[in-house]
Amino acid sequence: MSSNSLGHAARLVRETLPPMHPAGRPFVAGGVAATLLLRRFSPRLGLLAGLGTLATAAFFREPQRVPPLRDDLVLSAADGLVSLIEEASPPAELGLPDRPLTRVSVFLSVFDVHVQRMPVRGTVEKVAYRPGKFLSADLDKASEDNERNSVLLRTDSGHQLIVVQIAGLVARRIVCQVGEGDHVEPGSTYGLIRFGSRVDTYLPPGSRVLVREGQRTIGGETPLAEL
């Protein structure tokens, strides 16, 4: 096989198998070590450990996404299922007025991509973490009761919105990689919730919702609303 053919095959593999978020590397490394160790004692246990390691690597995948070329859209921050669209007050820890905003909730199962992506181009005004419970993320009260991390954003055009990472029944770790003052791009990865979770987006007043309950979203690509 020629070097050109090998290079083409390598590119196809890279495009088919998405890269892994750095937060997953320790888990996968541990799985590889366990697989090699167990294979010395039992091929069957080694096989099971290997399959578990592959599943873990798939969970932490971070596929490339291409956002639409429109600055008047709020994109989905996560892959998943639109579970709720309702009016709700913003997270109290952000210190905003207690005024209901349209909230779009996206539920992530263990099979979905679990990195979160910025819904707009703009600046991070505040990041607020709040400990809480670990109820099933598809329950209505998960937004209020569960552990969460809220990011307040202001778009370059002046709109203010909120995106909230919410831990679920199995999720026990929220990763947020942005801080106050950071300028962010739509579709860029900013965090991760491990093993089943939910992401809420609070829209600015006057936004036109473009999704409905039961619809599946692609993080960084699916428009949730029009500003």
Side-chain angles (χ1 to χ4, degrees), residues 71-158:
D71 288 335
D72 62 337
L73 296 176
V74 178
L75 306 180
S76 177
D79 290 34
L81 187 75
V82 178
S83 57
L84 286 172
I85 301 174
E86 58 186 352
E87 298 296 306
S89 297
E93 58 269 24
L94 289 175
L96 298 174
D98 187 16
R99 179 182 61 191
L101 300 171
T102 300
R103 180 174 69 191
V104 180
S105 300
V106 174
F107 173 72
L108 294 73
S109 76
V110 294
F111 301 106
D112 287 310
V113 172
H114 267 64
V115 297
Q116 282 76 60
R117 301 173 188 272
M118 279 297 166
V120 293
R121 175 180 292 107
T123 302
V124 177
E125 292 196 327
K126 188 171 184 178
V127 179
Y129 168 79
R130 194 206 69 175
K133 300 178 181 179
F134 296 96
L135 304 174
S136 178
D138 59 347
L139 296 177
D140 293 357
K141 57 184 178 180
S143 292
E144 283 71 38
D145 295 345
N146 281 22
E147 175 181 322
R148 68 192 184 201
N149 187 77
S150 303
V151 177
L152 177 64
L153 298 164
R154 185 173 294 276
T155 70
D156 290 347
S157 57

Side-chain angles (χ1 to χ4, degrees), residues 160-183:
Q160 198 174 54
L161 67 150
I162 306 158
V163 62
V164 185
Q165 300 166 285
I166 301 172
L169 182 65
V170 183
R172 300 284 161 159
R173 182 75 170 93
I174 295 175
V175 177
C176 182
Q177 301 166 300
V178 295
E180 296 177 16
D182 289 351
H183 191 270

Side-chain angles (χ1 to χ4, degrees), residues 166-208:
I166 301 172
L169 182 65
V170 183
R172 300 284 161 159
R173 182 75 170 93
I174 295 175
V175 177
C176 182
Q177 301 166 300
V178 295
E180 296 177 16
D182 289 351
H183 191 270
V184 296
E185 294 294 324
S188 60
T189 299
Y190 82 93
L192 170 78
I193 315 172
R194 294 176 184 162
F195 307 116
S197 47
R198 173 170 164 175
V199 176
D200 288 349
T201 302
Y202 292 78
L203 301 170
S207 300
R208 184 168 71 93

